Amino acid sequence: MTDILNILVGTMTGNAQLVAQEIELRLEDSGTKINIIDMDKLEPDVFQNDGDYLICTSTYGQGDVPDNARDFFNALKDQKPNLAHTRYGVIALGDRTYAETYCHGGKKFDELLSELGARRVGEVFFHDASEGTLPEEEGGEWAESWFADLTSEEASSERTKAA
């Protein structure tokens, strides 16, 4: 079972933080320690921590990562750490009325982590603010399913090692 889930939050208005908190509530009985970590002043070495990772980020401006995630994102690009040992998921928040940059904050993190060797589990979750649904409700539901896939994959991997 996944012992630790690190939720890395990139946000401008707090919506991604609300999603992370909802996920923490939904998974509190899973036996997994949930760490919610704002991307402010975060360094690439965060990926040396134990556990799996969930990127929860909004999109800002012209398809950019949020201000509090910019330095972290750029440090990952510049330092290019080997993340081959890292499993992750992505929740991307956006607004489809900005069609050309819809959810690009999350898409950019997904592309970068993949380039650095990390392995995404499941599909990226895209939340469209223009639909009028609450990102924390939809993101929380998606995260429960994603977490089940994550733990199922881990159990399968453990069985393969034991065989």
Side-chain angles (χ1 to χ4, degrees):
M1 173 195 283
T2 298
D3 295 328
I4 300 171
L5 177 61
N6 300 292
I7 305 174
L8 308 184
V9 178
T11 191
M12 293 292 290
T13 62
N15 284 336
Q17 183 73 33
L18 291 173
V19 173
Q21 291 169 343
E22 178 67 19
I23 293 167
E24 181 180 35
L25 287 172
R26 289 180 183 236
L27 298 179
E28 69 183 352
D29 293 334
S30 69
T32 296
K33 180 176 181 353
I34 310 292
N35 297 319
I36 297 176
I37 307 167
D38 289 334
M39 291 187 195
D40 302 83
K41 299 180 181 145
L42 206 53
E43 294 293 330
D45 66 358
V46 71
F47 289 106
Q48 300 305 312
N49 294 345
D50 289 337
D52 296 302
Y53 295 83
L54 181 59
I55 305 297
C56 185
T57 185
S58 60
T59 301
Y60 182 68
Q62 300 299 309
D64 299 318
V65 299
D67 287 352
N68 81 316
R70 187 178 310 129
D71 290 344
F72 176 54
F73 184 84
N74 289 334
L76 284 168
K77 278 177 44 178
D78 294 343
Q79 295 177 25
K80 297 180 179 27
N82 179 349
L83 300 183
H85 65 282
T86 303
R87 295 189 310 169
Y88 73 97
V90 177
I91 292 179
L93 307 180
D95 186 329
R96 200 174 291 280
T97 58
Y98 302 97
E100 292 183 19
T101 60
Y102 174 63
C103 288
H104 276 194
K107 289 176 183 177
K108 287 180 175 182
F109 267 106
D110 181 41
E111 290 171 12
L112 180 58
L113 293 177
S114 178
E115 287 172 16
L116 298 174
R119 188 171 53 80
R120 186 182 74 222
V121 174
E123 296 300 316
V124 175
F125 173 74
F126 299 103
H127 180 266
D128 180 6
S130 69
E131 290 182 349
T133 58
L134 295 174
E136 60 270 25
E137 286 182 12
E138 290 194 349
E141 287 176 20
W142 174 88
E144 287 178 307
S145 175
W146 174 80
F147 186 77
D149 290 346
L150 186 70
T151 54
S152 169
E153 179 181 283
E154 188 171 26
S156 175
S157 173
E158 291 299 319
R159 283 192 300 273
T160 301
K161 287 178 188 174

Short mmCIF file of all heavy atoms in Angstrom, two decimals, residues 125-158:
data_model
loop_
_atom_site.label_atom_id
_atom_site.label_comp_id
_atom_site.label_asym_id
_atom_site.label_seq_id
_atom_site.Cartn_x
_atom_site.Cartn_y
_atom_site.Cartn_z
N PHE A 125 -6.39 14.59 -14.80
CA PHE A 125 -7.75 15.07 -14.57
C PHE A 125 -7.80 16.54 -14.92
O PHE A 125 -7.02 17.34 -14.39
CB PHE A 125 -8.17 14.87 -13.11
CG PHE A 125 -9.51 15.50 -12.81
CD1 PHE A 125 -10.68 14.93 -13.28
CD2 PHE A 125 -9.57 16.69 -12.10
CE1 PHE A 125 -11.90 15.53 -13.03
CE2 PHE A 125 -10.80 17.29 -11.84
CZ PHE A 125 -11.96 16.71 -12.31
N PHE A 126 -8.72 16.91 -15.81
CA PHE A 126 -8.90 18.30 -16.21
C PHE A 126 -10.23 18.80 -15.65
O PHE A 126 -11.27 18.19 -15.90
CB PHE A 126 -8.92 18.43 -17.73
CG PHE A 126 -7.66 17.97 -18.40
CD1 PHE A 126 -7.60 16.75 -19.04
CD2 PHE A 126 -6.53 18.77 -18.38
CE1 PHE A 126 -6.44 16.32 -19.65
CE2 PHE A 126 -5.36 18.35 -18.99
CZ PHE A 126 -5.31 17.12 -19.63
N HIS A 127 -10.18 19.89 -14.89
CA HIS A 127 -11.42 20.50 -14.40
C HIS A 127 -11.66 21.81 -15.12
O HIS A 127 -10.77 22.67 -15.19
CB HIS A 127 -11.36 20.77 -12.89
CG HIS A 127 -12.64 21.38 -12.41
ND1 HIS A 127 -12.81 22.74 -12.30
CD2 HIS A 127 -13.83 20.82 -12.08
CE1 HIS A 127 -14.05 23.00 -11.90
NE2 HIS A 127 -14.68 21.84 -11.75
N ASP A 128 -12.87 21.96 -15.64
CA ASP A 128 -13.26 23.15 -16.39
C ASP A 128 -14.13 24.04 -15.51
O ASP A 128 -15.29 23.71 -15.23
CB ASP A 128 -14.02 22.73 -17.65
CG ASP A 128 -14.47 23.90 -18.50
OD1 ASP A 128 -14.12 25.06 -18.19
OD2 ASP A 128 -15.18 23.64 -19.49
N ALA A 129 -13.58 25.17 -15.10
CA ALA A 129 -14.31 26.10 -14.22
C ALA A 129 -15.56 26.66 -14.90
O ALA A 129 -16.52 27.03 -14.21
CB ALA A 129 -13.40 27.24 -13.79
N SER A 130 -15.59 26.71 -16.23
CA SER A 130 -16.74 27.30 -16.92
C SER A 130 -17.98 26.40 -16.84
O SER A 130 -19.08 26.85 -17.15
CB SER A 130 -16.40 27.59 -18.39
OG SER A 130 -16.23 26.40 -19.12
N GLU A 131 -17.81 25.15 -16.40
CA GLU A 131 -18.96 24.24 -16.26
C GLU A 131 -19.76 24.51 -14.99
O GLU A 131 -20.85 23.99 -14.83
CB GLU A 131 -18.50 22.79 -16.27
CG GLU A 131 -18.01 22.32 -17.62
CD GLU A 131 -17.60 20.86 -17.62
OE1 GLU A 131 -17.49 20.24 -16.54
OE2 GLU A 131 -17.37 20.34 -18.72
N GLY A 132 -19.20 25.28 -14.07
CA GLY A 132 -19.92 25.61 -12.85
C GLY A 132 -19.87 24.54 -11.78
O GLY A 132 -20.58 24.63 -10.78
N THR A 133 -19.06 23.52 -11.97
CA THR A 133 -18.92 22.47 -10.95
C THR A 133 -17.78 22.84 -10.01
O THR A 133 -16.88 23.60 -10.36
CB THR A 133 -18.63 21.11 -11.60
OG1 THR A 133 -17.43 21.21 -12.38
CG2 THR A 133 -19.79 20.66 -12.49
N LEU A 134 -17.82 22.28 -8.82
CA LEU A 134 -16.77 22.57 -7.84
C LEU A 134 -15.55 21.70 -8.09
O LEU A 134 -15.66 20.47 -8.13
CB LEU A 134 -17.29 22.33 -6.43
CG LEU A 134 -18.42 23.25 -5.97
CD1 LEU A 134 -18.95 22.82 -4.60
CD2 LEU A 134 -17.95 24.70 -5.92
N PRO A 135 -14.39 22.32 -8.25
CA PRO A 135 -13.18 21.53 -8.52
C PRO A 135 -12.85 20.56 -7.40
O PRO A 135 -12.37 19.46 -7.66
CB PRO A 135 -12.08 22.57 -8.71
CG PRO A 135 -12.58 23.80 -8.06
CD PRO A 135 -14.08 23.75 -8.15
N GLU A 136 -13.13 20.93 -6.15
CA GLU A 136 -12.80 20.03 -5.05
C GLU A 136 -13.68 18.78 -5.05
O GLU A 136 -13.21 17.70 -4.71
CB GLU A 136 -12.83 20.74 -3.69
CG GLU A 136 -14.15 21.33 -3.30
CD GLU A 136 -14.36 22.78 -3.75
OE1 GLU A 136 -13.75 23.22 -4.73
OE2 GLU A 136 -15.17 23.46 -3.09
N GLU A 137 -14.94 18.92 -5.46
CA GLU A 137 -15.80 17.73 -5.51
C GLU A 137 -15.37 16.80 -6.64
O GLU A 137 -15.18 15.60 -6.43
CB GLU A 137 -17.26 18.14 -5.69
CG GLU A 137 -17.87 18.71 -4.43
CD GLU A 137 -19.34 19.05 -4.60
OE1 GLU A 137 -19.96 18.66 -5.61
OE2 GLU A 137 -19.88 19.72 -3.70
N GLU A 138 -15.21 17.34 -7.85
CA GLU A 138 -14.83 16.50 -8.99
C GLU A 138 -13.40 15.99 -8.85
O GLU A 138 -13.12 14.84 -9.16
CB GLU A 138 -15.02 17.27 -10.29
CG GLU A 138 -16.49 17.50 -10.60
CD GLU A 138 -16.72 17.96 -12.03
OE1 GLU A 138 -15.75 18.29 -12.73
OE2 GLU A 138 -17.88 17.94 -12.43
N GLY A 139 -12.51 16.85 -8.38
CA GLY A 139 -11.12 16.43 -8.17
C GLY A 139 -11.01 15.37 -7.09
O GLY A 139 -10.23 14.43 -7.20
N GLY A 140 -11.82 15.51 -6.04
CA GLY A 140 -11.83 14.52 -4.97
C GLY A 140 -12.31 13.16 -5.45
O GLY A 140 -11.73 12.12 -5.11
N GLU A 141 -13.37 13.16 -6.26
CA GLU A 141 -13.88 11.90 -6.82
C GLU A 141 -12.83 11.26 -7.71
O GLU A 141 -12.58 10.05 -7.62
CB GLU A 141 -15.16 12.15 -7.62
CG GLU A 141 -16.37 12.45 -6.76
CD GLU A 141 -17.59 12.80 -7.59
OE1 GLU A 141 -17.63 12.45 -8.80
OE2 GLU A 141 -18.50 13.43 -7.04
N TRP A 142 -12.22 12.05 -8.58
CA TRP A 142 -11.19 11.52 -9.47
C TRP A 142 -10.03 10.95 -8.65
O TRP A 142 -9.51 9.88 -8.97
CB TRP A 142 -10.69 12.62 -10.42
CG TRP A 142 -9.54 12.17 -11.26
CD1 TRP A 142 -9.60 11.55 -12.47
CD2 TRP A 142 -8.14 12.27 -10.93
NE1 TRP A 142 -8.34 11.26 -12.90
CE2 TRP A 142 -7.42 11.68 -11.99
CE3 TRP A 142 -7.44 12.78 -9.85
CZ2 TRP A 142 -6.03 11.61 -11.99
CZ3 TRP A 142 -6.05 12.71 -9.86
CH2 TRP A 142 -5.36 12.14 -10.92
N ALA A 143 -9.63 11.67 -7.62
CA ALA A 143 -8.47 11.26 -6.82
C ALA A 143 -8.73 9.93 -6.12
O ALA A 143 -7.80 9.12 -5.97
CB ALA A 143 -8.10 12.33 -5.80
N GLU A 144 -9.94 9.67 -5.68
CA GLU A 144 -10.25 8.38 -5.06
C GLU A 144 -10.02 7.24 -6.05
O GLU A 144 -9.42 6.22 -5.71
CB GLU A 144 -11.69 8.36 -4.55
CG GLU A 144 -11.90 9.19 -3.31
CD GLU A 144 -13.33 9.21 -2.84
OE1 GLU A 144 -14.24 9.52 -3.65
OE2 GLU A 144 -13.56 8.89 -1.66
N SER A 145 -10.47 7.43 -7.26
CA SER A 145 -10.28 6.42 -8.30
C SER A 145 -8.80 6.29 -8.66
O SER A 145 -8.27 5.18 -8.80
CB SER A 145 -11.10 6.80 -9.53
OG SER A 145 -10.85 5.92 -10.59
N TRP A 146 -8.12 7.42 -8.80
CA TRP A 146 -6.69 7.43 -9.12
C TRP A 146 -5.90 6.72 -8.02
O TRP A 146 -5.02 5.92 -8.29
CB TRP A 146 -6.19 8.86 -9.29
CG TRP A 146 -4.72 8.98 -9.49
CD1 TRP A 146 -4.02 8.77 -10.65
CD2 TRP A 146 -3.74 9.31 -8.49
NE1 TRP A 146 -2.68 8.96 -10.43
CE2 TRP A 146 -2.48 9.29 -9.12
CE3 TRP A 146 -3.81 9.62 -7.15
CZ2 TRP A 146 -1.30 9.57 -8.43
CZ3 TRP A 146 -2.65 9.91 -6.47
CH2 TRP A 146 -1.41 9.88 -7.11
N PHE A 147 -6.23 7.01 -6.77
CA PHE A 147 -5.53 6.40 -5.64
C PHE A 147 -5.74 4.88 -5.64
O PHE A 147 -4.82 4.12 -5.36
CB PHE A 147 -6.01 7.03 -4.32
CG PHE A 147 -5.24 6.55 -3.13
CD1 PHE A 147 -3.98 7.05 -2.87
CD2 PHE A 147 -5.78 5.61 -2.27
CE1 PHE A 147 -3.25 6.61 -1.77
CE2 PHE A 147 -5.07 5.16 -1.17
CZ PHE A 147 -3.80 5.66 -0.92
N ALA A 148 -6.95 4.43 -5.97
CA ALA A 148 -7.21 2.99 -6.06
C ALA A 148 -6.34 2.37 -7.15
O ALA A 148 -5.78 1.28 -6.96
CB ALA A 148 -8.69 2.74 -6.34
N ASP A 149 -6.20 3.05 -8.28
CA ASP A 149 -5.32 2.56 -9.35
C ASP A 149 -3.87 2.51 -8.89
O ASP A 149 -3.14 1.56 -9.18
CB ASP A 149 -5.42 3.45 -10.60
CG ASP A 149 -6.75 3.33 -11.31
OD1 ASP A 149 -7.51 2.39 -11.02
OD2 ASP A 149 -7.03 4.20 -12.16
N LEU A 150 -3.46 3.53 -8.17
CA LEU A 150 -2.09 3.62 -7.66
C LEU A 150 -1.78 2.45 -6.72
O LEU A 150 -0.77 1.78 -6.86
CB LEU A 150 -1.90 4.96 -6.94
CG LEU A 150 -0.51 5.32 -6.45
CD1 LEU A 150 0.40 5.64 -7.62
CD2 LEU A 150 -0.60 6.53 -5.52
N THR A 151 -2.67 2.19 -5.78
CA THR A 151 -2.44 1.12 -4.82
C THR A 151 -2.59 -0.25 -5.48
O THR A 151 -1.87 -1.19 -5.13
CB THR A 151 -3.36 1.24 -3.60
OG1 THR A 151 -4.72 1.31 -4.04
CG2 THR A 151 -3.05 2.48 -2.78
N SER A 152 -3.48 -0.38 -6.45
CA SER A 152 -3.64 -1.63 -7.19
C SER A 152 -2.37 -1.93 -7.99
O SER A 152 -1.90 -3.07 -8.01
CB SER A 152 -4.84 -1.52 -8.12
OG SER A 152 -4.87 -2.60 -9.02
N GLU A 153 -1.82 -0.90 -8.62
CA GLU A 153 -0.59 -1.07 -9.39
C GLU A 153 0.56 -1.48 -8.47
O GLU A 153 1.36 -2.33 -8.80
CB GLU A 153 -0.25 0.24 -10.10
CG GLU A 153 1.02 0.17 -10.90
CD GLU A 153 1.34 1.48 -11.56
OE1 GLU A 153 0.72 1.80 -12.58
OE2 GLU A 153 2.23 2.19 -11.03
N GLU A 154 0.61 -0.86 -7.30
CA GLU A 154 1.67 -1.18 -6.35
C GLU A 154 1.54 -2.63 -5.86
O GLU A 154 2.53 -3.34 -5.76
CB GLU A 154 1.60 -0.21 -5.17
CG GLU A 154 2.76 -0.34 -4.23
CD GLU A 154 2.79 0.77 -3.20
OE1 GLU A 154 1.73 1.34 -2.91
OE2 GLU A 154 3.87 1.05 -2.70
N ALA A 155 0.32 -3.07 -5.59
CA ALA A 155 0.11 -4.45 -5.13
C ALA A 155 0.51 -5.44 -6.22
O ALA A 155 1.13 -6.46 -5.95
CB ALA A 155 -1.35 -4.65 -4.73
N SER A 156 0.18 -5.11 -7.45
CA SER A 156 0.54 -5.96 -8.59
C SER A 156 2.06 -6.05 -8.73
O SER A 156 2.62 -7.11 -8.97
CB SER A 156 -0.08 -5.42 -9.86
OG SER A 156 0.34 -6.16 -10.97
N SER A 157 2.72 -4.93 -8.55
CA SER A 157 4.19 -4.87 -8.63
C SER A 157 4.82 -5.70 -7.52
O SER A 157 5.80 -6.42 -7.75
CB SER A 157 4.65 -3.42 -8.54
OG SER A 157 6.05 -3.36 -8.47
N GLU A 158 4.27 -5.63 -6.32
CA GLU A 158 4.78 -6.41 -5.19
C GLU A 158 4.62 -7.92 -5.45
O GLU A 158 5.50 -8.71 -5.13
CB GLU A 158 4.08 -6.01 -3.89
CG GLU A 158 4.44 -4.62 -3.39
CD GLU A 158 5.91 -4.48 -3.09
OE1 GLU A 158 6.51 -5.40 -2.51
OE2 GLU A 158 6.48 -3.42 -3.44
#
